């Protein structure tokens, strides 16, 4: 497909479990962003990659959150020892250019921690 | 104070009405101003994008930015039921940085 693909679409995790969320950006897109969206809220920035370099991780809420993009294409957001407050939709976006002005979003992964 | 403030609504208007959606922001360093539309259970999609102050029109949609008052507006003319969605204002510092989203305004257009 031509869009940003995220998997899984839905994930239920028991509290304390580790999870890994995958993002396949649009082919050739340089920039990749992760956002967290709580119910009824706008997306909150987590982290930003330009190719394989993580240029901004200021939005990661704790050291339990880790993101990587080792080959500059697919990215994984990992959450260790999940907590109930981690329940949210995790959105990935990519853009062709260096920045976020024309970012394309995936449908998101809905994480529920029980 | 949040960097971007947006009335969450919900806002319900009849089909054909003119809709006005607004945001205020606090950081004068914002230079790029975007509106995203998000349908239920979907990711946001870029609707309009402007740089600095002024107006931009695209079909039934007009985006306005007033940097002096730090006020962003989106107008929808001849609103359609298919416009029912959450609208997110999203200013950015530069073309190479993250987007800051407002909380979104939920809009419903009644047939």
């Amino acid at each position: 497909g031509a869009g940003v693909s995220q998997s899984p679409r839905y994930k239920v995790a028991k509290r304390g479990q580790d999870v890994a969320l995958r993002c396949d950006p649009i082919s050739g897109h340089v920039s990749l962003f992760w956002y967290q969206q709580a119910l009824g809220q706008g997306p909150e920035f987590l982290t930003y990659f330009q190719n394989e370099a993580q240029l901004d991780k200021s939005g990661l809420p704790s050291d339990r959150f880790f993101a990587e993009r080792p080959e500059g294409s697919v990215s994984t957001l990992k959450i260790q020892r999940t907590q109930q407050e981690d329940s949210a939709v995790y959105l990935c976006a990519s853009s062709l250019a260096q920045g976020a002005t024309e970012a394309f979003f995936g449908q998101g992964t809905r994480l529920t921690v029980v | 104070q949040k960097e971007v403030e947006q009335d969450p609504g919900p806002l319900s208007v009849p089909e054909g009405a003119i809709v006005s959606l607004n945001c205020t922001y606090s950081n004068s360093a914002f230079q790029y101003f975007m509106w995203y539309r998000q349908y239920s259970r979907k990711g946001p999609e870029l609707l309009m994008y402007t740089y600095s102050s002024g107006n931009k029109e695209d079909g039934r949609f007009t985006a306005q930015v007033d940097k002096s008052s730090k006020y962003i507006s989106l107008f929808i003319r001849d609103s359609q039921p298919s416009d029912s969605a959450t609208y997110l204002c999203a200013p950015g510092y530069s073309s190479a940085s993250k987007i800051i989203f407002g909380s979104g305004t939920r809009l419903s257009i009644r047939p």
Side-chain angles (χ1 to χ4, degrees), chain B residues 5-79:
Chain B
E5 298 278 1
Q6 187 174 7
D7 186 339
L11 180 62
S12 179
V13 302
E15 184 175 355
I18 295 174
V19 177
S20 173
L21 304 170
N22 308 293
C23 279
T24 58
Y25 63 93
S26 57
N27 194 328
S28 57
F30 288 138
Q31 297 182 62
Y32 293 81
F33 303 91
M34 290 154 280
W35 284 94
Y36 278 80
R37 178 174 61 193
Q38 186 173 26
Y39 291 112
S40 181
R41 299 191 179 274
K42 300 287 187 184
E45 56 178 346
L46 181 65
L47 193 61
M48 300 280 290
Y49 152 50
T50 56
Y51 172 72
S52 195
S53 281
N55 292 2
K56 185 173 183 178
E57 191 172 318
D58 184 0
R60 297 184 294 111
F61 298 88
T62 300
Q64 258 182 16
V65 177
D66 182 346
K67 291 189 76 178
S68 62
S69 59
K70 299 189 181 67
Y71 199 79
I72 312 167
S73 301
L74 178 72
F75 299 95
I76 307 174
R77 291 183 300 281
D78 187 25
S79 55

Side-chain angles (χ1 to χ4, degrees), chain B residues 89-110:
Chain B
C89 66
Y93 294 100
S94 75
S95 64
S97 72
K98 63 192 179 191
I99 310 167
I100 310 294
F101 284 94
S103 57
T105 299
R106 208 169 67 202
L107 174 66
S108 175
I109 308 297
R110 305 189 302 271

